[in-house]
Amino acid sequence: MKAISASYVVTCDENNRIIKDGAVVFSDKIVEINTLFEIKNKYPNLEIKELEENSILMPGLVNSHIHLEFSANTTTLKYGNFYSWLNSVIKHREDLINKATNELISTKLNKIKKTGTTTIGAISSYSFDMEACIKSPINTVFFCEVIGSKADMVDTLFADFRSRLNNAKKFASKNFIPAIAIHSPYSVHPFLVREALNVARDENLAVSSHFLESQEEFEWLHKDEGSFLEFFKNFLNQEKATSKPMEFLGLFSKVKNLSFTHCVEASDDDLEKIKDLGASINHCVTSNRLLNNTKLDLDKLKDIPFTIGTDGLSSNNSLSMFDELRNALMAHYDKNVVEFSKTLLKAATFNGSRALGLNKGVLKESFDADMISFKLPNKIEDINDICMQIILHTKFVDDVIIGGEYV
Ligand code: MCF
Ligand code: FE
């Protein structure tokens, strides 16, 4: 057993409990959480790592949606309009993927760790990111992606997806968890969706899908119109969308640990269905700003839990969750900055863990001991401001603990 104490222990639990001069006793799981005084009394022989003044201990961050295979992009892809972005991805994909070597992805994962992320939901299109994820101490829910809308290709595409998933399953461990990604309602044939989801149900795998990310997608799915029509005609000789949004969502019944990414153009009915499915929404505020100039209306989500994802460097300039949290805080300027900061930290910890089907993201007995510590630059004047101050001031963390180990 180990123990660590900090000036403030930010639990991210349902009551946003913060313990001043708090301590956590842990093995691979959290054993006890209390004031340092109480912990010292109860465990007189346990060595406690006592952090300095103005220190924070909190759950490690969960980046629920990231594409590591696109890590080589900086200045290549087009932003501002989803259709332009899509065409630029098609044009440069091969080059970008080739440049995203194991070494580059490992470097990115190391920086992800230093910026406080202990768990990722990695969307993998080709499994080119698998080795780096396996080698990293970061917990990875590894979403093998299925994509392709052409009817005559479904058997080949499904076989390829199955072999990537089977290969990932060979490496399954407590911090590498194979899962399934459906790319989107516009790009995956309903047959493929159905078959992949049957695998998810049979093998109890988490599932994630992009959903209604842009106006272009909305126009195409609802009306078979807009710039996607040109795209599908040219590339795939296809004039109609393969499924309507509600038909697509209908396929996901009884899938556990389910999340939909973006949803900026989802209708009230779609959101109602997402809620009935028990799914979470991955909110990627920077990606939405860059690709479509849109923003998810959080008020419309009501009871649907949302998580925070950076998306890939294909649609972000950073993979740091603290950068992403700052962007989210600034973008949702209609929300109270102090209160919304509390919501955001919970979205980036507990909600992310729930969406991925894990037992993490909160400092509470029997949850996994995934924690980060860092120092705020000065004394915290008002404890009620702590979540906001954390989001505003944190760039790198000091300690990263995953499954009870300092990594
Ligand atoms: O989330 C962003 C934007 N929306 C959709 N897809 C991707 C994103 N970043 C990378 N992608 C990948 C996706 O996984 O792009 C590929 C897919 O494999 C081609 S489809 C644009
Ligand atoms: Fe994405």
Side-chain angles (χ1 to χ4, degrees):
M1 265 192 329
K2 298 170 190 161
I4 183 166
S5 76
S7 315
Y8 297 93
V9 173
V10 177
T11 63
C12 295
D13 73 1
E14 59 278 18
N15 305 316
N16 279 313
R17 187 163 70 117
I18 290 159
I19 306 169
K20 177 136 178 38
D21 298 316
V24 176
V25 179
F26 60 97
S27 54
D28 60 331
K29 309 246 180 254
I30 293 171
V31 174
E32 190 163 341
I33 167 164
N34 212 323
T35 59
L36 177 59
F37 180 83
E38 291 292 338
I39 295 289
K40 274 184 171 167
N41 265 340
K42 190 162 170 190
Y43 303 86
N45 299 321
L46 187 63
E47 194 189 325
I48 302 175
K49 176 168 177 168
E50 292 188 36
L51 301 177
E52 300 163 50
E53 259 189 314
N54 309 321
S55 53
I56 307 283
L57 182 70
M58 64 173 283
L61 300 174
V62 180
N63 186 347
S64 63
H65 183 92
I66 184 169
H67 302 255
L68 290 165
E69 290 165 322
F70 287 82
S71 289
N73 179 59
T74 51
T75 54
T76 304
L77 299 178
K78 294 283 291 173
Y79 294 152
N81 167 282
F82 191 79
Y83 188 52
S84 314
W85 176 82
L86 194 57
N87 280 307
S88 74
V89 171
I90 306 286
K91 186 169 168 202
H92 299 286
R93 177 163 47 184
E94 205 173 302
D95 187 39
L96 288 173
I97 299 292
N98 287 335
K99 284 184 181 147
T101 57
N102 277 336
E103 201 186 346
L104 181 86
I105 295 175
S106 292
T107 310
K108 300 293 180 195
L109 282 167
N110 201 27
K111 183 133 181 227
I112 286 168
K113 188 185 88 182
K114 287 187 170 139
T115 49
T117 296
T118 52
T119 299
I120 58 172
I123 311 297
S124 175
S125 310
Y126 313 94
S127 285
F128 295 156
D129 48 350
M130 188 170 81
E131 197 179 315
C133 289
I134 291 167
K135 277 190 186 147
S136 165
I138 295 174
N139 304 297
T140 305
V141 176
F142 192 73
F143 289 100
C144 297
E145 182 178 70
V146 57
I147 185 167
S149 62
K150 280 192 84 164
D152 56 351
M153 288 290 287
V154 290
D155 291 333
T156 321
L157 292 169
F158 187 72
D160 174 68
F161 155 76
R162 250 315 349 187
S163 93
R164 277 182 285 120
L165 179 64
N166 284 342
N167 197 31
K169 279 167 62 184
K170 287 187 207 149
F171 298 91
S173 71
K174 85 176 191 324
N175 69 350
F176 182 80
I177 300 152
I180 294 176
I182 308 292
H183 178 254
S184 77
Y186 62 86
S187 60
V188 191
H189 193 279
F191 173 86
L192 274 177
V193 178
R194 205 168 296 131
E195 290 304 306
L197 293 180
N198 281 337
V199 176
R201 286 185 201 95
D202 288 349
E203 304 184 16
N204 203 13
L205 304 177
V207 174
S208 191
S209 176
H210 295 97
F211 185 71
L212 278 166
E213 174 174 14
S214 64
Q215 284 103 334
E216 287 85 349
E217 181 178 343
F218 183 96
E219 296 244 287
W220 170 244
L221 294 180
H222 283 283
K223 303 181 237 162
D224 305 304
E225 281 174 4
S227 49
F228 269 29
L229 176 60
E230 181 190 305
F231 178 86
F232 277 93
K233 255 191 190 162
N234 288 347
F235 284 101
L236 301 156
N237 198 19
Q238 190 185 319
E239 295 195 21
K240 281 203 179 326
T242 48
S243 58
K244 297 266 176 258
M246 199 47 91
E247 293 166 0
F248 177 75
L249 292 175
L251 299 171
F252 290 77
S253 61
K254 298 202 172 73
V255 171
K256 287 187 208 128
N257 307 321
L258 175 62
S259 64
F260 293 98
T261 305
H262 307 309
C263 303
V264 288
E265 302 295 335
S267 68
D268 291 345
D269 285 350
D270 295 338
L271 293 173
E272 197 56 44
K273 180 71 188 173
I274 289 173
K275 189 181 128 198
D276 290 346
L277 289 168
S280 306
I281 290 182
N282 299 317
H283 181 30
C284 306
V285 77
T286 310
S287 177
N288 298 149
R289 170 72 174 105
L290 293 181
L291 301 198
N292 335 297
N293 203 19
T294 49
K295 190 174 75 188
L296 181 64
D297 183 350
L298 294 172
D299 293 331
K300 281 173 70 177
L301 305 193
K302 295 183 193 127
D303 299 331
I304 305 171
F306 75 91
T307 72
I308 304 293
T310 56
D311 225 340
L313 288 176
S314 31
S315 56
N316 204 323
N317 61 342
S318 169
L319 298 176
S320 156
M321 280 290 280
F322 281 113
D323 287 344
E324 188 66 19
L325 285 165
R326 277 187 283 281
N327 288 352
L329 191 60
M330 299 306 161
H332 292 280
Y333 53 79
D334 49 324
K335 303 247 172 264
N336 174 282
V337 74
V338 173
E339 291 309 309
F340 189 54
S341 294
K342 299 173 189 173
T343 307
L344 281 176
L345 282 194
K346 215 175 311 149
T349 53
F350 184 72
N351 291 2
S353 166
R354 175 200 180 270
L356 299 174
L358 306 173
N359 187 44
K360 303 173 181 296
V362 56
L363 300 188
K364 215 188 227 182
E365 275 166 37
S366 81
F367 280 80
D368 295 347
D370 291 359
M371 299 182 275
I372 52 174
S373 80
F374 48 90
K375 260 186 80 168
L376 285 176
N378 263 306
K379 180 173 168 290
I380 296 131
E381 197 55 44
D382 184 348
I383 195 170
N384 192 44
D385 292 344
I386 205 161
C387 293
M388 176 185 71
Q389 304 297 10
I390 288 171
I391 293 176
L392 289 177
H393 296 288
T394 314
K395 296 204 168 56
F396 293 95
V397 301
D398 300 323
D399 292 308
V400 180
I401 300 166
I402 298 180
E405 301 293 335
Y406 287 81
V407 293

